[in-house]
Amino acid sequence: MLKDRIFNFSAGPSMLPVSVLETASSEMLNYKGSGMSVMEMSHRSKVYQSIFDETKADFKRIFNVPDTHEILFMQGGATFQFSAAAMNLMGITGKADYAITGNFSEIAAKEAKKYGVVSIACDTSDRNHTYIPAQEELKLSPDASYFHYCANNTIYGTEWKYIPDTGDVPLVCDMSSNFLSKPVDVSKYGIIYGGVQKNLAPAGMALVIIDKALAGKHLPYTPKIMTYQVAIDKDSMDNTPPCYNIYMLGLMLKWLDSQGGVEGMEKIKSKKAGILYDVLDSSKLFIPVADKAARSDMNVTFRTGNEELDAKFIKAATEAGFVNLKGHRKTGGMRASIYNAMPMEGVEKLADFMQQFEKNN
Ligand SMILES: Cc1ncc(COP(=O)(O)O)c(C=O)c1O
């Protein structure tokens, strides 16, 4: 870690690896002899097309995306996909199932209601979204156009540990906050999407993986810019794509390769999360918020049970160089977001700091 960098536990946008920022910086004024920055390039130029193609190919290889699926780069973040997924798929039967396990899945369901009948497959708000329901608890509609869920609940710190079995009903998954943190069987999904600002790149883009068989079923009034079939046909370039984000994603993917890909990342993230959960489990001061079986390896939520003490901890941590540990305004308490780019050192030092804080308080 560089001397003047701090450990940023932000839920997103969040840390990027120093080596990625250094490469971007070294290529800022003159990308590989082109005499210009990637920011200044035509998206139709040969030099940019090679960045685009390489990024897409690297993503396909690293995340093991089958040939049945297409990778799309779309603007508007994950929120845009709440609408796009519904407008593209709801027309299949006019109905969809939504699992509500947190804030973002609730927003997605609310948006989908504009376009069809939404049936709530589960709702964990009865226990403030501290758990993930078991497969048997999901209320599934065999005639749903799709089943939507959020794989990792950024605010509440819970994560699905299994892929829901919905039979022939396509799975649509918001993977914004645990994308590329572990291998995933992409073939099981109709659509996977996510905002990139946590694990993949700077904010400003969503990455979408879609089973091509599901494209072309959009509602007739779906805006062209939201239509997956158009994005597939135009290889994400019906209009100017988020060029610089795609370039940064490309650098992130090279870095991910150096960490052993998603298999390597799974080991690293499990170890990082384990360090913090061990501190919480052995603490008499800090209380982990999420049920043990549903704990997120990306967003570790905890509190002391005393708001003043929470505030004292957050202030002291900030002064010690651990920033953005304040929990979301909906939950209070603390949240340490430890996405792929958070170094092991940051987690180890935070664990030491928490134990020291406990001794002193
Ligand atoms: C799981 C999840 N879904 C969706 C969103 C919304 O993403 P965006 O801001 O890219 O629209 C977020 C943002 O934090 C998120 O964590």
Side-chain angles (χ1 to χ4, degrees):
M1 198 70 176
L2 293 177
K3 215 169 98 257
D4 54 352
R5 296 268 301 172
I6 53 176
F7 294 112
N8 176 9
F9 293 88
S10 165
S14 36
M15 288 187 88
L16 291 164
V18 168
S19 64
V20 165
L21 295 171
E22 281 174 344
T23 304
S25 159
S26 73
E27 293 177 341
M28 180 60 76
L29 296 181
N30 183 355
Y31 175 79
K32 295 192 176 160
S34 64
M36 62 177 91
S37 167
V38 176
M39 288 186 193
E40 303 168 297
M41 281 174 191
S42 163
H43 59 295
R44 307 282 179 205
S45 63
K46 229 169 132 184
V47 57
Y48 185 73
Q49 189 67 48
S50 70
I51 295 173
F52 182 96
D53 292 342
E54 194 174 333
T55 301
K56 204 171 141 183
D58 282 348
F59 189 91
K60 185 175 164 67
R61 173 180 51 80
I62 289 173
F63 206 46
N64 203 8
V65 179
D67 290 337
T68 44
H69 286 58
E70 184 60 87
I71 297 162
L72 305 173
F73 305 113
M74 298 178 89
Q75 298 184 16
T79 304
F80 186 95
Q81 297 306 320
F82 296 164
S83 321
M87 295 183 95
N88 277 271
L89 300 188
M90 189 63 95
I92 299 174
T93 66
K95 303 173 181 180
D97 285 350
Y98 274 73
I100 310 287
T101 55
N103 174 63
F104 294 106
S105 47
E106 193 171 357
I107 298 172
K110 218 168 160 185
E111 183 63 16
K113 277 183 192 157
K114 295 179 187 168
Y115 309 108
V117 178
V118 166
S119 170
I120 303 302
C122 66
D123 182 351
T124 56
S125 60
D126 59 336
R127 283 206 283 124
N128 202 25
H129 301 305
T130 49
Y131 70 104
I132 296 294
Q135 169 74 41
E136 313 80 73
E137 292 169 307
L138 301 175
K139 276 189 246 114
L140 302 174
S141 320
D143 60 343
S145 304
Y146 61 95
F147 174 99
H148 180 283
Y149 78 109
C150 178
N152 184 79
N153 298 288
T154 321
I155 293 177
Y156 298 92
T158 59
E159 188 169 9
W160 290 67
K161 305 293 178 190
Y162 67 98
I163 299 178
D165 180 356
T166 54
D168 292 334
V169 173
L171 276 178
V172 175
C173 180
D174 174 358
M175 231 174 248
S176 295
S177 49
N178 64 354
F179 233 152
L180 294 194
S181 67
K182 57 184 174 186
V184 168
D185 183 353
V186 177
S187 71
K188 292 204 161 143
Y189 290 88
I191 294 176
I192 296 172
Y193 68 86
V196 295
Q197 63 272 23
K198 300 158 200 301
N199 264 348
L200 307 185
M205 172 169 95
L207 198 142
V208 180
I209 305 166
I210 178 170
D211 180 345
K212 285 179 267 192
L214 285 178
K217 301 181 191 298
H218 48 280
L219 295 165
Y221 50 85
T222 307
K224 183 161 156 264
I225 192 71
M226 292 180 133
T227 305
Y228 292 136
Q229 187 66 64
V230 173
I232 292 170
D233 293 344
K234 298 294 172 98
D235 201 9
S236 299
M237 289 211 201
D238 186 46
N239 71 330
T240 315
C243 301
Y244 199 76
N245 289 91
I246 295 167
Y247 159 75
M248 286 297 288
L249 170 63
L251 297 186
M252 278 296 285
L253 293 170
K254 302 264 180 265
W255 173 81
L256 206 73
D257 265 336
S258 76
Q259 306 294 303
V262 281
E263 290 78 14
M265 204 35 77
E266 182 175 36
K267 288 190 194 116
I268 296 170
K269 64 106 187 175
S270 302
K271 188 167 174 207
K272 285 192 296 188
I275 290 171
L276 292 186
Y277 286 121
D278 282 350
V279 169
L280 294 176
D281 286 338
S282 59
S283 170
K284 291 194 173 63
L285 178 72
F286 297 111
I287 308 157
V289 174
D291 279 10
K292 211 165 191 169
R295 286 173 173 177
S296 165
D297 283 350
M298 298 281 109
N299 311 96
V300 178
T301 47
F302 57 103
R303 57 192 162 79
T304 64
N306 173 331
E307 280 181 28
E308 272 173 36
L309 202 51
D310 286 351
K312 187 177 173 189
F313 173 78
I314 292 160
K315 185 167 179 283
T318 305
E319 284 163 9
F322 308 103
V323 303
N324 291 318
L325 282 166
K326 194 169 192 289
H328 191 272
R329 60 189 178 280
K330 281 187 183 256
T331 58
M334 281 76 75
R335 169 177 54 176
S337 296
I338 48 171
Y339 298 121
N340 286 354
M342 170 59 67
M344 187 68 72
E345 184 195 355
V347 172
E348 286 167 349
K349 287 195 166 157
L350 175 63
D352 290 346
F353 178 81
M354 288 167 70
Q355 285 169 326
Q356 198 55 50
F357 184 87
E358 176 160 356
K359 264 186 210 140
N360 300 340
N361 289 272

